[in-house]
Amino acid sequence: AQKVTQAQTEISVVEKEDVTLDCVYETRDTTYYLFWYKQPPSGELVFLIRRNSFDEQNEISGRYSWNFQKSTSSFNFTITASQVVDSAVYFCALSVGYNQGGKLIFGQGTELSVKP
Amino acid sequence: DAGVIQSPRHEVTEMGQEVTLRCKPISGHNSLFWYRQTMMRGLELLIYFNNNVPIDDSGMPEDRFSAKMPNASFSTLKIQPSEPRDSAVYFCASGAPLNEQFFGPGTRLTVL
């Protein structure tokens, strides 16, 4: 069975602080994809990143960075120098199989609040 | 590209009424997913289609829920009869290669 765990329900930081959102996944499949989505207060789900199980390179996109470690089944997300606009609920998700349009299994989400 | 289109954006109905949610996926994508989001259960998959064929409907809560995809550009999710516990935000997602999914804006359903 597949499962995604986001142990942090809520995080509150002050603007310009760095913050890391944790994600731990479970799957017996060797081919899978990991995702992060952002859900701002307006409610839409915004795709942030996709990572496949064969690529453990960390990725950086502006203030965002992702650390994928298969050894610990983790795919953590770090926001550097957080801003108020980063306030949202962030979801980590898992999809198994390759290019099969597989379903996403979501974690429970982490609500990030960035205060000015 | 208009992205995934869902309608209506908000729906308020009374218990027992039929509700139909609509989705137009991104042109060229061959997978379509219906998710439901509630405070209690988070985001959960209801059903998904590949090339218009239902692949996995194990998440459909009960027989009151049904989904169709008559062609590559349209899908419906129907609840009949609706109940207050069906109140949620329903998302449609369009599936691209490499398992990537793009979500519509959602339909907020309130059943009184």
Side-chain angles (χ1 to χ4, degrees), chain A residues 33 35 37 39 42-45 47 50 91 95-108, chain B residues 31 33 35 37 39-43 45 48 50 56 58 91 96-105:
Chain A
Y33 291 86
F35 301 81
Y37 283 85
Q39 187 173 40
S42 52
E44 72 270 27
L45 281 160
F47 167 81
R50 177 194 64 239
F91 291 95
S95 176
V96 300
Y98 174 74
N99 211 22
Q100 296 170 6
K103 63 184 181 183
L104 289 173
I105 297 146
F106 285 91
Q108 284 300 102
Chain B
S31 299
F33 304 79
Y35 293 88
Q37 185 177 31
M39 287 295 293
M40 291 297 293
R41 301 174 66 90
L43 272 160
L45 177 74
Y48 82 93
N50 208 19
D56 182 351
S58 59
F91 287 100
L98 303 183
N99 293 20
E100 195 166 309
Q101 294 183 25
F102 295 92
F103 284 76

Side-chain angles (χ1 to χ4, degrees), chain A residues 85-101:
Chain A
V85 293
D86 296 327
S87 296
V89 180
Y90 291 85
F91 291 95
C92 181
L94 167 70
S95 176
V96 300
Y98 174 74
N99 211 22
Q100 296 170 6

Side-chain angles (χ1 to χ4, degrees), chain B residues 5-77:
Chain B
I5 299 172
Q6 289 187 249
S7 64
R9 294 292 307 277
H10 302 274
E11 176 83 21
V12 179
T13 190
E14 293 187 346
M15 184 174 64
Q17 296 297 307
E18 176 181 304
V19 174
T20 299
L21 311 182
R22 297 172 176 80
C23 176
K24 177 178 169 53
I26 295 171
S27 178
H29 287 184
N30 58 7
S31 299
L32 184 140
F33 304 79
W34 284 101
Y35 293 88
R36 178 171 68 175
Q37 185 177 31
T38 61
M39 287 295 293
M40 291 297 293
R41 301 174 66 90
L43 272 160
E44 52 181 347
L45 177 74
L46 299 178
I47 185 172
Y48 82 93
F49 297 84
N50 208 19
N51 294 320
N52 311 338
V53 176
I55 302 300
D56 182 351
D57 65 354
S58 59
M60 296 285 261
E62 47 197 275
D63 292 346
R64 298 185 296 106
F65 285 69
S66 62
K68 293 182 180 179
M69 192 166 185
N71 56 61
S73 59
F74 184 65
S75 177
T76 59
L77 178 68

Side-chain angles (χ1 to χ4, degrees), chain A residues 4-53:
Chain A
V4 176
T5 302
Q6 294 179 253
Q8 304 148 308
T9 306
E10 298 178 11
I11 299 177
S12 183
V13 299
V14 177
E15 209 169 19
K16 298 185 182 177
E17 282 186 28
D18 298 347
V19 58
T20 295
L21 310 182
D22 297 334
C23 173
V24 174
Y25 62 93
E26 295 176 31
T27 181
R28 292 181 181 176
D29 289 77
T30 56
T31 301
Y32 53 89
Y33 291 86
L34 296 163
F35 301 81
W36 277 95
Y37 283 85
K38 174 182 180 180
Q39 187 173 40
S42 52
E44 72 270 27
L45 281 160
V46 179
F47 167 81
L48 295 178
I49 189 172
R50 177 194 64 239
R51 214 81 188 123
N52 75 56
S53 52

